[in-house]
Amino acid sequence: MAKILMKGNEAIAQAAVSAGCEAFFGYPITPQNELIEYMAKYLAKNNGVFVQAESELAAINMVYGAAGAGARVMTSSSSPGIALKQEGISYCAGAELPVVIVSVSRGGPGLGGILPSQADYNQATRGGGNGDYKVMVLAPNGVQEATELVRKAFELAEKYRNPVMVMADGIIGQMMEPVEINPEPLPPVDRPWAAEGQRGRAQRNVVNSMNLDAYKLEQHNRDLQAKYERMEREDVMYETVQTDDADVLLVAYGTPSRIVKSAIATLREQGIKAGLFRPKTLLPFPSKQLKAAAQGKQFVLVAELSLGQMLVDVKLAIEGTVPVHFYGRTGGVIFEPSEIVDAVKSHRKGD
Amino acid sequence: MSALKIVCAGFGGQGVLSMGQLVAMMAMKKGYQVSWMPSYGPEMRGGTANCHVVIDKDPIASPIITDGIDVLLAMNQPSLTKFLPHMNPKGTLIANASMVKTDAVPKGITINSVDFTAIAQEVGNLKVQNMAALGTVVAKLPIFEENDGLAIIEEKFGAKAPDLNALNKAAFTKAYHQ
């Protein structure tokens, strides 16, 4: 199949529909509006359900309802909108519902701006909902990978019965790149827990996150933790580029990692051996793999479109074995490869 | 080849975003890596709408062009004012002659001043001035040939607006041979 030129937001939506997404609930916000627009246009035609909800809160609770009834379901938003969905995300995690959330992040805090940013790393990986819950977070580096990871997100959500977030940024949302979307729907998954009618069962299924028995709730939390540990064992994703012979290890994710790759090429032309470690899963974070990749390096430099959020996870992973430095731009400003080159040089001994 | 960085800019309504898309599509069909990124920030009335198109043999690092614009298409004066300081000093400027004064452009930059507005009016519809601009872009970029432009216009607009499409092609051809 020939590649077609598609805007990230539309490509993500098409990939979700192709993967078998049956229902979408959302509320408009820049820079992810084309995603909702695409869903409005095409989901109903593909026998799906589309609702433009009255608010982000309503949308995430509709997602809860549809997932509870056994549908393959998704919502999307951008930074302030994702903030509004946090309560619902915690409820989905508590009720162990497979849902996919796409976050096309922009500059903050507050209403912030509408240009691309990665200042929602903490929002995605720590979350703002209550309780000991975790959401899997996947971070694509371009339009093609965004379509692959949104498909993967449905698979993982169903494997773990857990919310999975695809964290894109305004660049992925708005840019067009050549893309080839997998047209095969994912196989249907058994959902014996779904509230879809009694269907001959002795008892009705109930989808709920409330449990007033302390011992039972503690056990539920232990089960959830076991699931999160399994994610770390089985589904960590990352990419390494020229890390083996490198003296300096750069860590970046999402589209900025491509800018860092280009900086690495320049650095190598100048005789400085740099390599890239790119987490594709922000949660579970590839901590062990990163620590191993960083061993023996002069230093690690984390580059983000924020003022230092993934930085904390990098430091936790490396456990002080190698010095960790940081370079970031924020508010919608995108760094240039030359800025990364300069940042690396500024930390080199003797330069 | 290092990345070829193209910025297409003009008033909203001059069709620079879709023109840039056609450039990206043509390059994609020739086997290049491409990206197209629109300006989606708040723009002043009377200011510029613009898109960044990057063409490369290798995977594209950043779809956002901040400096080193190799080819600038300026459909109006504010576009030139905004992007001239960010041009490659040996770059190519393609200017809409009736709306853009190029006196202040430093030596070293190749200026192609073509009256796209007039070509569109001659052809009979002001809407097709972006296709005239595409004609000059295709003429000035060695990676493209005339037929690439005509084929992409047919593919993109042939079914959608058959009436307008003859005018699209006429404007393209006129500018291409100027």
Side-chain angles (χ1 to χ4, degrees):
Chain A
M1 204 176 81
K3 289 198 169 190
I4 52 168
L5 193 66
M6 256 184 123
K7 209 172 212 200
N9 281 330
E10 292 170 348
I12 289 171
Q14 187 177 321
V17 174
S18 296
C21 175
E22 298 168 289
F24 180 95
F25 308 94
Y27 186 80
I29 182 170
T30 307
Q32 61 84 59
N33 283 323
E34 296 87 355
L35 204 167
I36 293 192
E37 191 186 358
Y38 185 100
M39 287 298 193
K41 244 185 208 164
Y42 294 104
L43 199 50
K45 280 187 196 158
N46 285 276
N47 303 316
V49 171
F50 169 87
V51 178
Q52 180 176 321
E54 69 270 31
S55 71
E56 285 86 350
L57 279 76
I60 190 69
N61 284 296
M62 289 175 187
V63 164
Y64 180 106
R72 192 171 270 159
V73 58
M74 167 175 152
T75 185
S76 70
S77 192
S78 177
S79 311
I82 297 289
L84 288 166
K85 290 182 196 288
Q86 293 295 341
E87 178 195 59
I89 294 172
S90 161
Y91 278 55
C92 288
E96 297 193 83
L97 292 174
V99 305
V100 172
I101 303 148
V102 174
S103 167
V104 183
S105 62
R106 60 186 235 184
L111 265 184
I114 59 173
L115 294 173
S117 168
Q118 294 184 310
D120 295 333
Y121 181 94
N122 288 346
Q123 182 192 51
T125 60
R126 271 58 175 177
N130 59 303
D132 258 340
Y133 76 99
K134 288 184 182 180
V135 170
M136 260 188 127
V137 184
L138 316 181
N141 70 349
V143 177
Q144 179 66 45
E145 197 174 273
T147 67
E148 290 159 13
L149 289 187
V150 79
R151 181 184 176 83
K152 185 85 184 165
F154 282 104
E155 271 183 57
L156 291 168
E158 286 161 9
K159 174 177 175 181
Y160 290 109
R161 284 186 59 191
N162 201 71
V164 178
M165 183 181 286
V166 177
M167 196 181 162
D169 56 51
I171 302 176
I172 293 180
Q174 290 298 315
M175 79 168 152
M176 287 182 133
E177 285 190 308
V179 63
E180 198 177 337
I181 296 170
N182 187 338
E184 286 300 314
L186 293 167
V189 174
D190 253 358
R191 299 170 204 252
W193 46 265
E196 49 173 5
Q198 200 157 346
R199 307 242 167 140
R201 297 181 190 98
Q203 302 243 306
R204 284 178 299 137
N205 282 337
V206 176
V207 174
N208 190 4
S209 69
M210 189 168 80
N211 199 332
L212 294 175
D213 180 320
Y215 293 101
K216 281 186 179 161
L217 185 54
E218 185 185 46
Q219 190 52 50
H220 177 53
N221 272 284
R222 290 195 189 285
D223 294 343
L224 290 180
Q225 290 304 315
K227 192 164 82 172
Y228 305 146
E229 282 158 21
R230 185 176 161 214
M231 289 174 187
E232 206 168 327
R233 283 195 309 274
E234 296 179 14
D235 284 295
V236 163
M237 291 187 278
Y238 62 98
E239 181 197 11
T240 55
V241 182
Q242 294 181 294
T243 50
D244 288 349
D245 71 336
D247 300 323
V248 177
L249 185 67
L250 289 128
V251 187
Y253 71 98
T255 40
S257 70
R258 289 161 54 171
I259 302 173
V260 170
K261 259 187 210 173
S262 156
I264 287 170
T266 308
L267 284 163
R268 283 187 173 257
E269 279 166 21
Q270 298 176 9
I272 299 168
K273 286 183 188 163
L276 170 71
F277 188 96
R278 173 172 74 98
K280 283 169 76 172
T281 46
L282 303 182
L283 195 148
F285 193 75
S287 302
K288 280 180 205 145
Q289 296 82 352
L290 174 58
K291 188 180 180 186
Q295 287 324 293
K297 308 300 183 210
Q298 237 179 62
F299 62 85
V300 168
L301 184 110
V302 181
E304 295 178 69
L305 297 183
S306 79
L307 294 183
Q309 297 196 6
M310 179 177 69
L311 172 66
V312 175
D313 280 340
V314 173
K315 283 183 172 171
L316 286 171
I318 288 175
E319 295 179 304
T321 51
V322 177
V324 178
H325 303 298
F326 179 75
Y327 187 81
R329 300 297 300 266
T330 196
V333 181
I334 317 287
F335 45 63
E336 284 278 298
S338 61
E339 292 174 63
I340 304 299
V341 169
D342 292 346
V344 168
K345 285 182 176 172
S346 74
H347 293 294
R348 277 191 25 116
K349 284 179 213 139
D351 274 0
Chain B
M1 166 181 154
S2 61
L4 179 65
K5 301 177 185 174
I6 304 169
V7 171
C8 308
F11 289 126
Q14 280 182 311
V16 291
L17 297 187
S18 54
M19 201 223 91
Q21 261 183 47
L22 295 192
V23 174
M25 284 168 75
M26 279 191 299
M28 177 179 76
K29 285 177 187 293
K30 293 219 160 250
Y32 291 99
Q33 304 276 346
V34 300
S35 66
W36 173 95
M37 181 84 190
S39 58
Y40 69 98
E43 295 288 355
M44 254 186 336
R45 178 178 292 206
T48 70
N50 66 77
C51 64
H52 300 184
V53 177
V54 182
I55 300 172
D56 205 336
K57 279 209 168 122
D58 302 319
I60 288 162
S62 174
I64 293 172
I65 304 168
T66 46
D67 264 308
I69 300 168
D70 297 303
V71 179
L72 171 64
L73 169 71
M75 292 296 280
N76 65 0
Q77 196 68 43
S79 299
L80 182 63
T81 310
K82 184 171 178 177
F83 291 109
L84 185 59
H86 303 291
M87 275 192 80
N88 175 344
K90 289 179 181 165
T92 300
L93 169 68
I94 296 172
N96 189 13
S98 60
M99 299 184 83
V100 182
K101 281 189 197 133
T102 55
D103 312 347
V105 176
K107 277 180 193 161
I109 291 177
T110 309
I111 303 173
N112 299 281
S113 214
V114 180
D115 197 340
F116 303 123
T117 312
I119 290 176
Q121 276 165 342
E122 272 171 51
V123 166
N125 191 328
L126 203 54
K127 276 186 186 167
V128 302
Q129 56 182 317
N130 60 339
M131 292 302 107
L134 184 68
T136 304
V137 170
V138 168
K140 299 301 166 192
L141 286 180
I143 58 170
F144 297 129
E145 290 154 37
E146 186 177 5
N147 272 339
D148 298 329
L150 291 170
I152 210 74
I153 291 173
E154 181 61 35
E155 183 182 325
K156 179 92 175 166
F157 302 114
K160 211 167 148 192
D163 299 348
L164 200 59
N165 209 29
L167 305 186
N168 277 331
K169 286 179 181 170
F172 172 88
T173 309
K174 229 174 162 116
Y176 180 85
H177 290 288
Q178 210 169 71

